[in-house]
Amino acid sequence: MFRSPKSTFALVLFACLAPGVCYAQGYQIGTAATAVEIAGWDIDIRPDGKGLPAGSGNAVNGEETYETFCASCHGVFGEGEGRWPVLTGGEGTLADDRPVKTVGSYWPYASTLFDYIRRAMPFNAPMSLNDQQVYDTTAYVLYMNDIIEEDFELSQDNLAHVEMPNQGGFYVDNRPDVANPRCMVNCADPDSMMMQSSLAGVTPIGHFVEGADAPAASHSGQDELEASKEAERKAAITGEELVAPVAQEATAMSDQAMAGEATYKAACGVCHTSGLAGAPKVDDADAWSERIQQGTDLLIIHALQGYAGAEGYMPAKGGRADLSDEAVTNAVLFMVESQQ
Ligand code: HEC
Ligand code: HEC
């Protein structure tokens, strides 16, 4: 993320003689970042443990911290409340159509767990935990996944040596990022071509294939299926008895949402029907549940003004400046109400 001082120096060398004043002379804006400022950003932890703060923690102490700050979303046993992420279980499912990727079943390095919790959790208050609490909860999540013992003292010195179950499941992918030879003869007519996206080779493709593992033709049917899967998964982890989920009544769409369907088809579907460019697919209830929890107002603001998220870039009004705010709002309501 940072250009090293050395290369900055090289860039502006022609403009100055004394390194200390290069920044000012080179661009005439800003001041050099102080060591303290850089330290505030420089919080990544590498697989070999480099970057870990001094300290240690264990699952015995971690239990309380976890229950206070994490269990409301991730479940007391890491089984996940509602559709919040599952942190435990899933062993042996990676080759399934719908793999359950958890810290235990998927993650290659324990260092990532520490880094991630410290950087991003609790979801509603990232970077609010102190190092001790991060060590303790990291140990607790590893303990819930049967990776370390309850009393194991996880520390700056041994965290990198904790072997994760799926560590051997990763390999270096040295394919080039782009392979796009130009067509010179007998090329397809560009007008007859359709844009498509796929994540072939990254995650089992069955997950993305229309209809795969989705016998339900309607959203409410899909919801029921998801709810029963969640109940099964929870019961498997907690040992609780499986209770049949209560079927939800299909809700009728509001007038606004119905009015938004046409805009959706004309301006949004190109990305949101196909999943192009990382757009959450309109029929992927999982992809929408967390977004909807942010509140429809924020979704509308994002759709109107555009924003860059973790999955990709949502252009303002889907790139269609000609649309009225009302039309875009209605399209969002159509997308949201399609989830019910
Ligand atoms: C308000 C709900 C919430 C709380 C509280 C919360 N999390 Fe999370 N957690 C999330 C969400 C949402 C994600 C997924 C974020 C994403 O993918 O961008 C997540 C992701 C994670 C992941 C990565 C899961 C994976 O396999 O990708 C870990 C590990 C994690 N949280 C640990 C914790 C710990 C430890 C705490 C307590 C200190 C905590 N979380 C508190 C909502 C929460
Ligand atoms: C060029 C592709 C593209 C088009 C066209 C597009 N979107 Fe999106 N949209 C995205 C992507 C990518 C995201 C996910 C960004 C992320 O969260 O990382 C997204 C996310 C969203 C979200 C979720 C916002 C949130 O806060 O989670 C809404 C709502 C949305 N789009 C509405 C619309 C509407 C309404 C239209 C049509 C007027 C539209 N989009 C057209 C690419 C597109």
Side-chain angles (χ1 to χ4, degrees):
M1 189 190 298
F2 288 95
R3 173 174 290 151
S4 80
K6 252 193 192 152
S7 62
T8 310
F9 180 59
L11 260 178
V12 295
L13 187 61
F14 65 91
C16 56
L17 293 169
V21 291
C22 277
Y23 301 91
Q25 290 203 349
Y27 304 110
Q28 304 294 326
I29 48 166
T31 52
T34 65
V36 175
E37 283 165 347
I38 291 174
W41 284 93
D42 184 14
I43 60 168
D44 63 302
I45 294 155
R46 298 195 326 200
D48 64 2
K50 189 154 189 288
L52 278 168
S56 71
N58 58 58
V60 178
N61 298 331
E63 180 169 3
E64 201 187 320
T65 316
Y66 178 88
E67 280 174 6
T68 311
F69 296 109
C70 324
S72 59
C73 295
H74 294 295
V76 175
F77 302 93
E79 76 281 16
E81 287 296 335
R83 290 200 174 130
W84 296 108
V86 187
L87 301 183
T88 54
E91 290 85 3
T93 67
L94 292 187
D96 294 356
D97 276 352
R98 306 208 70 172
V100 181
K101 292 179 183 172
T102 71
V103 170
S105 71
Y106 184 66
W107 290 33
Y109 303 115
S111 54
T112 312
L113 185 60
F114 186 101
D115 182 300
Y116 191 88
I117 295 173
R118 177 164 76 159
R119 168 190 307 273
M121 293 294 132
F123 192 60
N124 42 353
M127 295 197 69
S128 60
L129 300 183
N130 62 34
D131 291 342
Q132 175 72 59
Q133 289 170 315
V134 179
Y135 270 113
D136 285 341
T137 43
T138 302
Y140 193 65
V141 173
L142 292 171
Y143 164 69
M144 285 194 296
N145 277 289
D146 296 323
I147 295 169
I148 60 171
E149 299 290 327
E150 195 167 14
D151 56 2
F152 181 82
E153 190 67 20
L154 191 69
S155 73
Q156 184 183 23
D157 302 321
N158 63 24
L159 192 141
H161 304 297
V162 172
E163 195 174 327
M164 302 294 277
N166 191 38
Q167 192 160 325
F170 284 79
Y171 62 93
V172 175
D173 183 350
N174 59 4
R175 286 174 300 182
D177 285 351
V178 175
N180 193 14
R182 171 178 291 206
C183 175
M184 304 303 277
V185 281
N186 294 335
C187 305
D189 168 15
D191 289 341
S192 68
M193 282 171 23
M194 239 186 82
M195 274 203 277
Q196 282 204 340
S197 70
S198 90
L199 294 177
V202 177
T203 293
I205 195 74
H207 194 64
F208 296 95
V209 171
E210 210 58 52
D213 193 34
S218 67
H219 296 302
S220 58
Q222 182 68 27
D223 275 350
E224 268 170 45
L225 184 75
E226 297 290 343
S228 76
K229 285 197 161 187
E230 185 196 338
E232 258 174 53
R233 209 180 59 224
K234 277 196 168 188
I237 293 172
T238 62
E240 274 168 29
E241 236 177 88
L242 199 58
V243 188
V246 185
Q248 280 179 357
E249 296 250 331
T251 7
M253 268 199 189
S254 67
D255 291 348
Q256 266 183 296
M258 283 196 293
E261 183 170 3
T263 310
Y264 172 81
K265 283 190 175 149
C268 323
V270 57
C271 294
H272 286 283
T273 302
S274 60
L276 187 70
K281 286 170 73 168
V282 76
D283 65 356
D284 181 350
D286 274 355
W288 283 94
S289 64
E290 274 162 26
R291 293 176 186 275
I292 289 172
Q293 285 177 35
Q294 308 174 78
T296 312
D297 287 350
L298 183 64
L299 297 184
I300 292 171
I301 291 172
H302 279 165
L304 289 173
Q305 302 179 352
Y307 78 107
E311 311 293 335
Y313 175 63
M314 161 70 206
K317 296 191 172 179
R320 290 278 305 272
D322 57 307
L323 293 174
S324 70
D325 287 4
E326 190 191 354
V328 174
T329 301
N330 289 347
V332 173
L333 294 175
F334 170 76
M335 294 163 88
V336 168
E337 292 183 27
S338 294
Q339 311 304 318
Q340 286 155 7

